[in-house]
Amino acid sequence: LVAACSVVRIGTSLQSSPSAADEKRADGMVVVAGMRAREQTSLLTVTGLLAPHELDEALDMAHARCSELSLLMREALTSSVAGAASGADTVAPSAVKHSEGRQQGS
């Protein structure tokens, strides 16, 4: 599974999983995609202004977020396959909770 995550720098703070509005006003951005289970990166894009220490921190944040998303994706896929085998339409409970939390926080 390949997960993609972004981190933006706005002013002096770094934000993981930014909104589209935050991406537009960002001073810098890091986008990472890859297979975290294999610790492989397939895409790395850095745009804008980031100091070396900010880049290191942004990469750490993006990799951590991608690892979280990979786990959610794997859980949802496993649940979906198990549900299809039993004839039920199911979604992983933690994926639903995570999705609901993002909508409330946005």
Side-chain angles (χ1 to χ4, degrees):
L1 296 172
V2 176
C5 305
S6 61
V7 174
V8 295
R9 176 180 162 265
I10 299 174
T12 58
S13 69
L14 295 173
Q15 296 178 357
S16 163
S17 302
S19 66
D22 286 340
E23 286 183 358
K24 287 181 182 177
R25 66 187 186 106
D27 302 311
M29 180 166 54
V30 172
V31 178
V32 174
M35 295 181 285
R36 298 312 310 148
R38 294 183 180 214
E39 296 187 14
Q40 294 178 344
T41 299
S42 55
L43 170 78
L44 172 60
T45 305
V46 180
T47 56
L49 300 172
L50 290 161
H53 72 278
E54 291 173 321
L55 178 58
D56 288 341
E57 186 177 349
L59 287 170
D60 289 343
M61 289 172 69
H63 283 132
R65 183 69 182 130
C66 281
S67 292
E68 292 172 13
L69 286 177
S70 291
L71 290 174
L72 288 172
M73 291 165 52
R74 183 173 306 281
E75 185 179 323
L77 182 59
T78 302
S79 176
S80 176
V81 169
S86 69
D89 290 331
T90 60
V91 176
S94 64
V96 172
K97 288 179 186 174
H98 179 74
S99 173
E100 290 171 353
R102 289 290 299 152
Q103 291 173 355
Q104 292 171 354
S106 297

